[in-house]
Amino acid sequence: MTRERPGAVRLGLLMQRCGDPDRPFGGLTPFARRVIGLARSEGVSALGIDPADVDLATGRVRGLLLKDGRWTPAAGPLPDVVWNRYFRRDRDDLLHEFARRGIPLLNESGLNKWEAYQLLLDDPMLREHLPETRLMRTGADINDLTSQYRYVFLKPVAGAVGRGIIRASLQPTGLTRLEYISADTGQLRAVEGSRPQLDRWAQEREGSYVVQQGLDLAVFYGRSADVRALLQKDGEGRWQMTGMGARVAAADRFTANLHTGGNGVPLGLLAGAIFPDDTEQREVLELELQSLAVRTAEVVDAAMGPMGELGLDFGIDSQGRIWYIEQNAQPGRTLFEHLGREDLAELAHRRPVQYARYLAQAKSARAAGHQET
Ligand SMILES: Nc1ncnc2c1ncn2[C@@H]1O[C@H](COP(=O)(O)OP(=O)(O)O)[C@@H](O)[C@H]1O
Ligand SMILES: [Mg+2]
């Protein structure tokens, strides 16, 4: 059993543990390896912990750190800051308990798609960039939108990585066509249903989808594309744009997520496809994306409490108009690998560590202040 370095800020990386000793945190193992490695150079001692490793009664945690490149058990007091990369929602009790004990959390599990939409609708600057969106209560919510827009997107309220998204459209026959990716075959499938069938379908899933105006997204070599921005707080607690890139959907896909076969390309290439003859317009587009992204992060942050990072999806339509698609409080960073931007990948792992150190130091400065008075 290893002891942590005394005096260093302690960062707990909360992740789901699995049985494989070489990949103890499953798909997040490379992420954990990287963060724990670079944390040292930031004077932060990072430990990978599963919720089951936390003993609130004794205020101790057991976890894993890297010693000579090998995963090694370690124990210590509760971390100063927790970085939440635990994607299940079955241990929100633990997250609340950290908060109650004054242990900052990066991040809370985040807002769902409907909560985020309602929040952003209150902001005069952001409102103009929101596609029409409703919480699906009845088939009429789908029907109202399919009669106005060529395509309508049905998205699981708490969904992510492109999973479960359906594209609906009203056919000349009066039937509604629903397109989706089959969970069994991974192939694009379509069904058509009458109005009573649609009503029944919606009723069985009431409240679990948002219904959204389909955007006429800009295309890149015939495939629809969108934009992902990673916003992170820096070592002084200020929001920064770590990086942006475009994602191009795979053939036969209407989602550009990297998980659904999308491919990352530099934003400049997409901007160039939208404004082939106008470099000034391209620059304006990038600046506008940048300021919208920072504004969105500020609004979400103000509502949620201390967040370290936020992934934002934007659509750009064929006229170059920017639309907000969604926000993600537990964003991935593989886009930068697609872009070949190792520098941005590095920064994307380092910034939350610097922000965690800032939070821990601010907290101990406050505690010291209390003692003096
Ligand atoms: N309203 C829309 N119009 C056109 N494309 C959309 C729309 N909403 C989502 N998409 C496409 O589907 C992808 C996934 O949608 P998103 O809302 O980000 O859900 P997820 O949480 O599953 O990533 C987007 O990145 C975009 O490519
Ligand atoms: Mg998304």
Side-chain angles (χ1 to χ4, degrees), residues 113 155 159-162 165 226-228 247 256-257 311-314 325-328:
K113 288 186 169 57
K155 308 196 269 190
V161 299
I165 296 186
D226 65 9
V227 173
R228 168 49 76 102
R247 300 179 302 190
N257 303 66
L312 292 172
D313 295 342
F314 292 103
I325 294 181
E326 69 140 355
Q327 52 88 48
N328 187 331

Side-chain angles (χ1 to χ4, degrees), residues 110-120 157 210 304 327:
L111 301 168
N112 72 35
K113 288 186 169 57
W114 180 238
E115 291 163 341
Y117 173 77
Q118 289 171 290
L119 175 71
L120 303 181
V157 168
V210 291
M304 292 292 294
Q327 52 88 48

Side-chain angles (χ1 to χ4, degrees), residues 38-287:
L38 69 78
R40 264 173 222 273
S41 66
E42 296 288 343
V44 172
S45 154
L47 189 67
I49 51 180
D50 179 280
D53 294 337
V54 182
D55 186 343
L56 288 170
T58 59
R60 308 273 304 166
V61 293
R62 287 174 294 110
L64 293 175
L65 49 69
L66 281 165
K67 210 168 170 222
D68 304 325
R70 300 187 74 86
W71 290 104
T72 311
L78 291 180
D80 299 306
V81 180
V82 170
W83 186 356
N84 179 24
R85 299 292 288 176
Y86 183 75
F87 300 131
R88 291 164 58 165
R89 297 298 302 270
D90 56 354
R91 291 308 312 271
D92 284 3
D93 62 316
L94 183 64
L95 305 185
H96 294 148
E97 190 55 31
F98 286 138
R100 204 183 64 78
R101 295 183 183 213
I103 299 174
L105 196 66
L106 319 176
N107 292 326
E108 292 277 357
S109 309
L111 301 168
N112 72 35
K113 288 186 169 57
W114 180 238
E115 291 163 341
Y117 173 77
Q118 289 171 290
L119 175 71
L120 303 181
L121 202 56
D122 280 341
D123 185 90
M125 172 179 171
L126 300 177
R127 186 184 303 150
E128 293 178 20
H129 298 273
L130 298 179
E132 183 174 357
T133 306
R134 298 183 182 189
L135 185 65
M136 183 183 79
R137 297 199 168 89
T138 69
D141 291 313
I142 304 173
N143 214 53
D144 286 354
L145 267 62
T146 51
S147 45
Q148 287 180 67
Y149 303 104
R150 180 156 166 244
Y151 289 115
V152 166
F153 277 66
L154 305 178
K155 308 196 269 190
V157 168
V161 299
R163 210 176 287 134
I165 296 186
I166 299 167
R167 188 171 73 169
S169 52
L170 195 58
Q171 301 300 299
T173 53
L175 297 179
T176 300
R177 184 180 171 88
L178 301 180
E179 294 165 282
Y180 60 96
I181 301 300
S182 155
D184 299 334
T185 63
Q187 300 297 307
L188 187 67
R189 296 260 298 268
V191 291
E192 292 191 0
S194 63
R195 187 59 207 273
Q197 286 172 317
L198 188 68
D199 286 338
R200 213 166 324 124
W201 186 89
Q203 199 173 13
E204 283 164 11
R205 294 162 182 81
E206 186 191 340
S208 57
Y209 282 81
V210 291
V211 188
Q212 187 169 76
Q213 160 191 358
L215 302 167
D216 168 29
L217 290 181
V219 291
F220 191 74
Y221 290 103
R223 297 174 183 191
S224 74
D226 65 9
V227 173
R228 168 49 76 102
L230 180 64
L231 283 290
Q232 296 182 305
K233 285 207 190 129
D234 64 14
E236 284 160 17
R238 286 179 307 224
W239 283 109
Q240 302 286 355
M241 167 71 76
T242 298
M244 279 193 279
R247 300 179 302 190
V248 183
D252 279 346
R253 292 288 183 274
F254 45 78
T255 54
N257 303 66
L258 302 180
H259 278 93
T260 59
N263 193 21
V265 300
L267 181 58
L269 290 184
L270 179 63
I274 299 170
F275 299 115
D277 311 312
D278 196 336
T279 44
E280 200 182 314
Q281 286 270 42
R282 290 181 218 166
E283 280 167 24
V284 170
L285 178 74
E286 294 200 18
L287 288 173

Side-chain angles (χ1 to χ4, degrees), residues 318-358:
S318 38
Q319 271 84 58
R321 188 169 165 188
I322 302 173
W323 298 87
Y324 161 89
I325 294 181
E326 69 140 355
Q327 52 88 48
N328 187 331
Q330 292 174 318
R333 306 130 230 270
T334 33
L335 176 65
F336 301 128
E337 284 156 32
H338 278 243
L339 300 179
R341 292 296 303 268
E342 175 51 30
D343 56 332
L344 296 183
E346 160 78 15
L347 188 59
H349 288 82
R350 189 175 291 277
R351 272 202 167 133
V353 173
Q354 295 173 330
Y355 178 54
R357 189 184 56 207
Y358 162 83

